[in-house]
Amino acid sequence: MKKLVNILKLVPTRLYLLGFIIIIILTLTYSYIFYKDALAFDQRIAVKQKELLNVLELKDTYIAKRHYVERGRQEKAEQVNISLGFIEEMVTKIFISGKMNMLKPSVLKQEKGKIKQNVYELKVGGAALKEVIAFMDEAEAKGLFVKKFQLNIQASNPSLLDMYVVIVAG
């Protein structure tokens, strides 16, 4: 211990002062770097908060428009009166190669609303793709909504399709 004290006494005071100044400069440099990093994180946080606000505004706009469309669909469903004869006429007019295998009515109850909608299940076998597309266009033009749609390729003739569709008004 005495040797260490003697060695430290031999070192000039200016060298201690120089070491102390170097330590202060390094400390200030590291403090400045950490300060700049903290500012960068604060800026990132502000940007992310603005993005979150934009996303929340878009969500609110989407929900409002979705409710508007659903209300319009319900009003249109009340206006459009579809019947078995109407659907059968549409099928026989459009499908030349296809044959209607099933047309079955049922009722769809909405959970939140009190509206009951008529639902029709339709199966057509042996239809060409252009006839299926024409049927979908005609259904949309008449104000019908396709709730479920399924196409299967026939095993006996791969150029023909079997179609299963659930239709509701609106």
Side-chain angles (χ1 to χ4, degrees):
M1 183 75 165
K2 287 185 181 185
K3 288 184 180 182
L4 181 63
V5 172
N6 287 337
I7 293 173
L8 291 176
K9 284 184 183 179
L10 292 176
V11 177
T13 311
R14 290 182 185 181
L15 193 57
Y16 286 122
L17 187 60
L18 180 64
F20 182 69
I21 290 174
I22 290 173
I23 290 173
I24 289 176
I25 290 173
L26 289 175
T27 305
L28 290 175
T29 303
Y30 286 125
S31 297
Y32 179 75
I33 291 171
F34 288 134
Y35 173 74
K36 285 294 186 179
D37 287 344
L39 284 179
F41 282 127
D42 286 342
Q43 290 173 350
R44 284 185 189 170
I45 289 171
V47 167
K48 294 294 181 183
Q49 287 174 341
K50 287 180 184 177
E51 289 176 3
L52 177 65
L53 289 175
N54 288 340
V55 168
L56 291 175
E57 288 176 5
L58 287 173
K59 176 189 165 201
D60 292 340
T61 304
Y62 168 76
I63 289 172
K65 287 186 178 187
R66 186 179 72 194
H67 288 300
Y68 176 75
V69 167
E70 287 175 358
R71 273 187 272 130
R73 184 177 292 151
Q74 288 174 357
E75 291 171 1
K76 197 172 187 182
E78 293 171 358
Q79 294 173 356
V80 176
N81 188 12
I82 57 176
S83 64
L84 288 173
F86 175 75
I87 294 175
E88 186 175 1
E89 179 184 326
M90 193 167 68
V91 169
T92 55
K93 184 177 94 176
I94 293 174
F95 289 101
I96 297 168
S97 64
K99 178 183 172 188
M100 182 170 50
N101 295 335
M102 180 189 74
L103 179 57
K104 179 177 138 185
S106 60
V107 176
L108 174 70
K109 296 179 182 177
Q110 290 187 350
E111 295 174 10
K112 293 181 182 177
K114 297 179 181 179
I115 297 174
K116 294 181 182 179
Q117 292 181 329
N118 291 332
V119 178
Y120 297 95
E121 295 181 44
L122 173 67
K123 283 187 184 179
V124 176
L129 180 60
K130 65 179 181 177
E131 294 172 346
V132 172
I133 293 171
F135 174 77
M136 296 302 289
D137 287 340
E138 183 74 18
E140 184 178 318
K142 299 287 184 180
L144 303 175
F145 175 69
V146 177
K147 189 95 171 149
K148 184 177 180 182
F149 181 74
Q150 180 179 356
L151 284 178
N152 294 321
I153 299 173
Q154 283 189 345
S156 61
N157 189 355
S159 65
L160 297 179
L161 303 169
D162 292 332
M163 176 183 78
Y164 172 76
V165 66
V166 177
I167 300 172
V168 295

